Amino acid sequence: MTADFIKGRSIPNMNMDNSKINDLLCMVYIFFGKEFLEEDGENRIQKLWKRKDALATNQLVILGNALNVFATSHSKWLKERIKDIKLEKKEDHKGDIFEIIALSMFSIGGQGVEPTKEDAPGIDGIVTCRGGAKCVLSLKDFGSSRHKRYFNLKAKAIERVISQYDFKKNNKNGAHIVIKNNKFPTETDWKQIERKLPEYLDEYFSGKPISIKNWSINVIDIDQLYSNISSKKRSYSFFMSVPCHKNEQKNIESKIEDACENISRHSNNISDDFLRLLLIRVPEETDVMSCVQCVEQWIELRPTASVDVVFFYQPTVAQDKNTGSYIIVHCILNASGKEFATNHRFPTWLKKFGDKNFPIVARSEVGMWTVVPEKITYLDGSDALDHYHYQRGLIYETPKKNADGSFYGEISNPIPGIQIFQLFDLGDGNEDLIIKGNFPEGSDMELFQ
């Protein structure tokens, strides 16, 4: 009998029954082991296992599903990958998790996939199509850029300033603060906003706000946004937005061209009966449609290059408007050479094998998937595309009282990063009782670093 791995966890709406979710969590438990999962470490799988929120559960189920694909057919290869994953340091995440997940996405709809051996540079797997034709597959994982990581670091420092600000001295329970810049901030800009924000808030609440060069700041009394705000504890919500670094998209597209060049070079001597596939994971702030155009132009200019279909994979966190649950949406779309020069090898492959073997499918069976890039919007309605965003908040409400003397209140995570708790004042010198939920701090995904 399988242990209950769901107990105590928040379960997202994944169109999957609880027994299946439990079985996939069990796969993670079996392959990574109780001792590793429960030790106090910084490995991203350990961190996900300790978290009980729905976003963490969603990621663990994605991993469990991928492990399940290879558990029997390629267990030796899988155990080697897991051995490497366990040795990962926080600052040295490698691509083993992505390799397992990305390869598993081709094991669907009658297709099969086989990881390649270590002596196959540039090629990560062999895909068998529904009709038996073969494809070589290369994987590239382009996570958040150093510019995005730098932004997150700086935004977190600004949040720390807000979380420590004494709103009480201005007779306030807290505030919602929106900070924006119309260009990617310089180091001087960051230093200024971090140093002068407390002064700005002091002046704002006194009715004569100062300006901070290059920054726009909007402050709203927290009581205007949320009901029954507790006076016992500081509440705040914070949203920051800046344009992506000017080289962000250009750097991604340069990496894409390098990836096309790499698979073309390594598969050049492989039989033309094998289609050449490339799957690239891009971060959520990337303009995927521009990436598709980049690949199509690259192939069009190189009709004899050995790359035929490029899949772009962009996982993002989105909120289900009907249930309020947070789920991972897998956007998978492709660019191919079939519309290009007649001397390209792809049309020949299609004529020979295409009827039973094409289209080739890549898809996640966990969460939602789409071929349309997800439009992510934030609390102020702004679009995530071409911008870095940071959104956090801790809201403490006082429970409402029923006519019979009982109390009620809602703990919720209305938008990514914003958590609403209920604070009970027990009086008589007793410590306040805070009721919290199993919510993620934000929408970042440990699985896709």
Side-chain angles (χ1 to χ4, degrees), residues 228-233 395-402 405-411 420-436:
N228 283 32
I229 291 293
S230 173
S231 61
K232 299 276 291 183
K233 199 169 179 67
I395 310 299
Y396 295 90
E397 293 184 342
T398 299
K400 301 177 180 68
K401 193 173 184 178
N402 289 311
S406 61
F407 292 89
Y408 70 97
E410 181 183 13
I411 54 174
I420 299 178
F421 305 143
Q422 296 295 315
L423 188 151
F424 288 82
D425 182 0
L426 301 181
D428 298 325
N430 293 308
E431 187 175 347
D432 297 329
L433 174 64
I434 298 174
I435 308 296
K436 301 182 178 182

Side-chain angles (χ1 to χ4, degrees), residues 136-387:
V136 293
L137 171 64
S138 180
L139 305 172
K140 294 295 177 184
D141 183 18
F142 301 151
S144 295
S145 69
R146 62 184 179 88
H147 301 300
K148 172 66 180 301
R149 294 193 298 271
Y150 178 75
F151 165 78
N152 282 342
L153 186 69
K154 292 298 185 181
K156 194 169 186 64
I158 304 303
E159 182 200 1
R160 192 157 45 244
V161 171
I162 295 170
S163 69
Q164 295 172 354
Y165 181 78
D166 183 10
F167 292 99
K168 289 297 179 188
K169 66 182 180 182
N170 299 295
N171 297 315
K172 301 292 182 182
N173 292 320
H176 170 64
I177 299 172
V178 177
I179 301 178
K180 295 184 177 183
N181 201 313
N182 60 11
K183 62 182 180 62
F184 187 78
T186 65
E187 182 64 29
T188 299
D189 291 334
W190 285 116
K191 287 179 179 178
Q192 277 194 325
I193 188 70
E194 185 174 358
R195 178 174 56 85
K196 298 190 72 173
L197 185 57
E199 182 185 352
Y200 176 94
L201 293 173
D202 285 343
E203 296 301 320
Y204 173 85
F205 289 122
S206 69
K208 45 182 181 180
I210 61 172
S211 63
I212 302 179
K213 186 178 180 181
N214 296 330
W215 295 97
S216 67
I217 306 172
N218 185 29
V219 181
I220 302 173
D221 194 323
I222 204 73
D223 294 274
Q224 295 180 26
L225 299 178
Y226 301 94
S227 62
N228 283 32
I229 291 293
S230 173
S231 61
K232 299 276 291 183
K233 199 169 179 67
R234 177 191 298 109
S235 291
Y236 72 91
S237 54
F238 167 51
F239 176 71
M240 173 170 272
S241 172
V242 306
C244 291
H245 189 275
K246 63 180 180 180
N247 294 329
E248 184 74 49
Q249 188 72 22
K250 184 166 65 176
N251 289 343
I252 281 283
E253 292 180 6
S254 177
K255 289 180 180 180
I256 290 169
E257 291 175 351
D258 289 345
C260 289
E261 191 68 48
N262 183 65
I263 186 177
S264 183
R265 183 173 65 254
H266 286 295
S267 63
N268 192 47
N269 295 324
I270 295 174
S271 166
D272 281 354
D273 284 351
F274 282 75
L275 208 62
R276 279 75 162 162
L277 311 179
L278 173 62
L279 183 140
I280 301 173
R281 200 271 291 193
V282 294
E284 68 177 17
E285 63 271 10
T286 301
D287 184 345
V288 190
M289 299 310 298
S290 292
C291 293
V292 170
Q293 293 173 9
C294 171
V295 163
E296 291 179 342
Q297 290 170 5
W298 190 93
I299 295 176
E300 189 171 14
L301 292 171
R302 300 164 181 81
T304 59
S306 293
V307 54
D308 301 308
V309 181
V310 180
F311 295 87
F312 285 101
Y313 174 42
Q314 187 179 50
T316 56
V317 176
Q319 186 178 25
D320 186 324
K321 292 182 180 179
N322 295 319
T323 66
S325 175
Y326 292 98
I327 55 174
I328 295 176
V329 178
H330 310 267
C331 176
I332 305 170
L333 65 161
N334 64 69
S336 72
K338 69 177 181 178
E339 304 297 334
F340 304 145
T342 56
N343 62 331
H344 193 279
R345 45 180 306 286
F346 190 13
T348 304
W349 186 94
L350 282 173
K351 186 175 181 180
K352 186 175 181 179
F353 298 106
D355 288 345
K356 295 182 179 179
N357 296 284
F358 199 81
I360 297 159
V361 178
R363 192 169 76 217
S364 172
E365 291 192 286
V366 180
M368 292 179 58
W369 71 279
T370 178
V371 293
V372 179
E374 196 73 11
K375 184 178 180 181
I376 303 173
T377 55
Y378 289 83
L379 185 61
D380 69 342
S382 61
D383 192 340
L385 190 63
D386 295 328
H387 281 71

Side-chain angles (χ1 to χ4, degrees), residues 124-136:
D124 298 294
I126 303 296
V127 176
T128 302
C129 302
R130 293 182 300 280
K134 303 281 187 177
C135 311
V136 293

